[in-house]
Amino acid sequence: MSTDGNAAYGKRTFTRSKSHFADRVTADGRDGWPVEAGRYRLVVSRACPWASRAVISRRLLGLEDAISMAVADPIQDDRSWRFTLDPGDRDPVLGIRYLSEAYDARETDYPGGVSVPAIVDVPSGKLVTNDYQRITLDFATEWKALHRPDAPDLYPEPLRGEIDEVMEGVYRDVNNGVYRAGFATKQEEYEHACRDVFRRLELVSRRLADRRYLVGDSITEADIRLFTTLVRFDAVYHGHFKCNQWKLAEEPVLWAYARDLFQTPGFGDTVDFDHIKQHYYRVHTGINPTGIVPLGPKLPGWLSPHHREALGGRPFGDGTPPGPVRVAERVPGVGRP
């Protein structure tokens, strides 16, 4: 999620910029960045859906020992993502106060904003990549040698064509669509984006009516990408972004699907509703100038029975669930929106 001109959101046409730093961390190190345990640091915000993909993937695959994680403050100042949640307002591993310092170490005055997720090379302090579309795919494929035993296959080769097709539509109309609606500057622009969001959600709902997961019989990258938008839908996108044709909790199939994933280890235990609401409502001053954060919605139903087990499927395929969340990475109040 970029922070270039937060105050301008809602005042100019929204366009999501491409990742400027698209190097990849690979098993063979072909871009100069070989997979290596302990060398890199994943910088995320728990507020950001794009970063949350990486948090979930890292946990499901058991990469906690292979790549450490820094969590930025959900509230930003004019220098963007900052480490004010850490002692001394500095990331304890990178020693920096702002993620922008890692960007500047790689390229001074580069075009674009400072975004998460980001992978930083610890020895040099330089940003490696902010390619949010690629990071999780590489976690699933290039980092296999460092996966935990019995980690699930989140991007199985026989299903990649179907996964990619599903993800493309979800990205365009849902993941990015809620932003196009929320940051629209003209009525027609907003209505077009909003209709795209709900048209795609209705298509996805029909797809999930008789199958537990989007592709195949276990969780894949496609489910991770849809979940990170769904879990924010009623708390943020329905009101703040005006995607209010209906609430997630009013759509039986998608609400049950989202609860199923939320209750699956690796999903709900990474969600911080406070960070999510604090960021959207306090940082996007272009569309919420008062900075008031709503008390609701109250969503105790996230932990209610979903009955999706009746559709079959195996959440982790031939793998196993991840172990307990490490103490240092636990989310306060998880499961209590």
Side-chain angles (χ1 to χ4, degrees), residues 214-276:
L214 283 171
V215 182
D217 66 352
S218 61
I219 292 164
T220 68
E221 175 79 11
D223 297 292
I224 295 173
R225 296 191 181 194
L226 178 58
F227 173 80
T228 57
T229 295
L230 294 184
V231 79
R232 289 161 173 78
F233 203 87
D234 288 0
V236 175
Y237 303 142
H238 180 271
H240 185 58
F241 279 179
K242 306 179 185 70
C243 294
N244 60 357
Q245 289 186 234
W246 38 261
K247 294 179 179 178
L248 176 67
E250 296 170 344
E251 211 291 333
V253 173
L254 292 180
W255 177 222
Y257 166 79
R259 298 198 321 274
D260 185 5
L261 290 178
F262 187 87
Q263 294 170 33
T264 299
F267 285 83
D269 52 26
T270 69
V271 175
D272 191 321
F273 285 102
D274 181 61
H275 276 213
I276 290 168

Side-chain angles (χ1 to χ4, degrees), residues 43-318:
V43 181
V44 303
S45 164
R46 294 194 186 277
C48 172
W50 319 98
S52 291
R53 298 176 178 181
V55 178
I56 293 170
S57 177
R58 171 180 174 269
R59 174 148 160 67
L60 292 178
L61 298 172
L63 289 171
E64 292 96 331
D65 288 330
I67 181 167
S68 63
M69 186 173 74
V71 178
D73 192 318
I75 308 302
Q76 303 157 324
D77 62 19
D78 59 359
R79 291 191 59 181
S80 184
W81 300 107
R82 54 187 184 166
F83 298 108
T84 48
L85 302 180
D86 295 301
D89 296 345
R90 290 184 182 273
D91 178 76
V93 174
L94 299 173
I96 58 178
R97 296 180 61 204
Y98 295 89
L99 178 56
S100 60
E101 295 174 56
Y103 276 65
D104 290 339
R106 173 70 184 275
E107 182 181 330
T108 304
D109 298 326
Y110 70 94
V114 177
S115 64
V116 288
I119 292 180
V120 179
D121 178 49
V122 175
S124 67
K126 294 180 179 180
L127 178 78
V128 175
T129 179
N130 66 345
D131 190 348
Y132 62 94
Q133 297 282 50
R134 191 70 234 181
I135 287 173
T136 48
L137 296 180
D138 284 343
F139 276 175
T141 56
E142 299 292 334
W143 290 67
K144 275 193 171 182
L146 298 177
H147 288 182
R148 65 179 173 86
D150 299 320
D153 188 350
L154 300 177
Y155 195 46
E157 195 163 357
L159 299 177
R160 288 181 189 176
E162 187 177 359
I163 292 172
D164 290 346
E165 182 180 359
V166 171
M167 291 194 305
E168 194 279 330
V170 167
Y171 167 76
R172 183 185 63 247
D173 297 333
V174 179
N175 301 146
N176 200 48
V178 292
Y179 284 85
R180 290 191 293 110
F183 297 147
T185 59
K186 298 177 181 178
Q187 184 70 27
E188 183 180 2
E189 179 186 346
Y190 155 73
E191 290 183 5
H192 178 74
C194 190
R195 289 191 181 104
D196 283 348
V197 169
F198 286 94
R199 176 183 58 83
R200 181 63 57 178
L201 288 177
E202 287 164 0
L203 289 172
V204 171
S205 176
R206 289 200 288 271
R207 182 182 184 90
L208 289 168
D210 59 359
R211 57 196 302 168
R212 193 171 179 185
Y213 304 108
L214 283 171
V215 182
D217 66 352
S218 61
I219 292 164
T220 68
E221 175 79 11
D223 297 292
I224 295 173
R225 296 191 181 194
L226 178 58
F227 173 80
T228 57
T229 295
L230 294 184
V231 79
R232 289 161 173 78
F233 203 87
D234 288 0
V236 175
Y237 303 142
H238 180 271
H240 185 58
F241 279 179
K242 306 179 185 70
C243 294
N244 60 357
Q245 289 186 234
W246 38 261
K247 294 179 179 178
L248 176 67
E250 296 170 344
E251 211 291 333
V253 173
L254 292 180
W255 177 222
Y257 166 79
R259 298 198 321 274
D260 185 5
L261 290 178
F262 187 87
Q263 294 170 33
T264 299
F267 285 83
D269 52 26
T270 69
V271 175
D272 191 321
F273 285 102
D274 181 61
H275 276 213
I276 290 168
K277 292 200 295 184
Q278 290 293 323
H279 173 79
Y280 281 92
Y281 288 104
R282 292 182 62 186
V283 174
H284 297 163
T285 55
I287 55 177
N288 188 38
T290 64
I292 293 173
V293 180
L295 292 174
K298 298 293 185 182
L299 301 175
W302 278 103
L303 299 177
S304 65
H306 52 76
H307 306 298
R308 296 278 293 177
E309 307 95 332
L311 295 174
R314 301 172 299 154
F316 303 100
D318 294 329

